[in-house]
Amino acid sequence: MALKLVSRKLGSKFLPMLSSTSPLHSHATSFGFKHVREEEKSQMVGNVFSSVASNYDLMNDLMSGGLHRLWKDRLVSMLNPFPGMKHLDVAGGTGDVAFKILDGISSIKRRANQDPINDHLQEETQIHVCDINPNMLNVGRKRAIERGLGEDKSLIWVEGDAEALSFEDNTMDGYTIAFGIRNVTHIEKVLAEAYRVLKHGGRFLCLELSHVEVPVFKELYDYYSFSVIPAVGELVAGDRDSYQYLVESIRRFPPQVKFASMIADAGFQKVEYENLVGGVVAIHSGLKI
């Protein structure tokens, strides 16, 4: 796996300083490079993902050269799933992350030679896939059936808003969100909800397209993002505008250090992030203590 990994831990003194002096929430009313009213953004983002749902997996493979699969593998390995866990995957409608979590749990089960205790725990495992877009959830349900998971009681599909989750306080062992948080209207509300539903000791993990800092690489990445991705979207999916929004939304998302400070402001401890491919994507994590 040709990935350059860089991990940074952010001290408790450093994070509050950033959060008190940086305009972290200026993106809340942006739709790509456009400024829109808050009440309009959810509908506009919904329209984008309704449009791209049927080609979502294909376009992810084309845009990332298949690397998005490795990035999600890394996310799940950091989660360290276990039989019997209660997990919430937000903005995960197509099921990519949920399927990988279940695969990880099945591997643990096989290594334990189908111990009766693990069989019981497997029955209690609950992976909730929450997405605000019903079209994305429909793609995920279809994929689950294709994988033979259509009747798996561990997999629970939920249409819901990341900013106002329907789950009770302190109920989840883990929370993941992959390539979804930059599309919400209020990132701070999503983080607060993640903190609320997690149990003490629960892990928050966010995989998101991020900011490249190496100058030459950044220039190449910007060219690829704004010239190639929308053109591929138009050619393959017949939808240039949606993919133009997607690349613009990456540039509007807070840089790694600022986003880490937002996670700390939500109450999480041991906040850190890991850059992949020079910062094209980053995995942020935090612990509810």
Side-chain angles (χ1 to χ4, degrees), residues 5 26 46 55 58 66 83 103 111 115 147 154 232 242 247 251 271:
L5 305 180
S26 62
N55 294 290
L58 174 60
D103 286 346
R111 289 197 298 269
D115 185 287
R147 295 171 64 100
S154 299
V232 172
S242 290
V247 297
R251 302 315 190 275
V271 175

Side-chain angles (χ1 to χ4, degrees), residues 92-106:
T94 60
D96 276 0
V97 173
F99 299 149
K100 290 179 183 293
I101 293 172
L102 286 178
D103 286 346
I105 291 173
S106 296

Side-chain angles (χ1 to χ4, degrees), residues 35-45:
H35 291 282
V36 299
R37 294 196 300 270
E38 289 184 357
E39 58 271 22
E40 294 178 326
K41 181 171 181 176
S42 293
Q43 182 62 47
M44 295 173 75
V45 170

Side-chain angles (χ1 to χ4, degrees), residues 201-275:
R203 192 98 185 270
F204 168 85
L205 287 162
C206 175
L207 170 64
E208 189 52 84
L209 292 156
S210 199
H211 293 262
V212 176
E213 298 176 352
V214 180
V216 175
F217 186 26
K218 182 179 184 302
E219 290 178 10
L220 291 172
Y221 180 55
D222 283 345
Y223 174 79
Y224 174 74
S225 297
F226 289 101
S227 298
V228 177
I229 289 179
V232 172
E234 183 174 18
L235 179 65
V236 176
D239 187 348
R240 185 184 186 92
D241 290 344
S242 290
Y243 289 94
Q244 182 71 31
Y245 157 73
L246 291 175
V247 297
E248 289 178 3
S249 69
I250 299 167
R251 302 315 190 275
R252 298 290 298 186
F253 190 69
Q256 290 88 317
V257 174
K258 288 185 178 182
F259 183 49
S261 72
M262 295 176 74
I263 297 170
D265 285 345
F268 289 101
Q269 303 294 313
K270 298 184 178 179
V271 175
E272 60 184 15
Y273 69 86
E274 180 178 75
N275 279 336

Side-chain angles (χ1 to χ4, degrees), residues 158-169:
V158 180
E159 185 176 339
D161 186 348
E163 297 186 20
L165 296 170
S166 60
F167 303 94
E168 295 183 0
D169 297 358

Side-chain angles (χ1 to χ4, degrees), residues 18-59:
L18 280 170
S19 62
S20 63
T21 60
S22 302
L24 299 179
H25 309 318
S26 62
H27 59 281
T29 55
S30 67
F31 179 78
F33 290 160
K34 300 176 183 177
H35 291 282
V36 299
R37 294 196 300 270
E38 289 184 357
E39 58 271 22
E40 294 178 326
K41 181 171 181 176
S42 293
Q43 182 62 47
M44 295 173 75
V45 170
N47 291 340
V48 167
F49 283 92
S50 292
S51 176
V52 305
S54 61
N55 294 290
Y56 190 76
D57 292 325
L58 174 60
M59 284 299 298

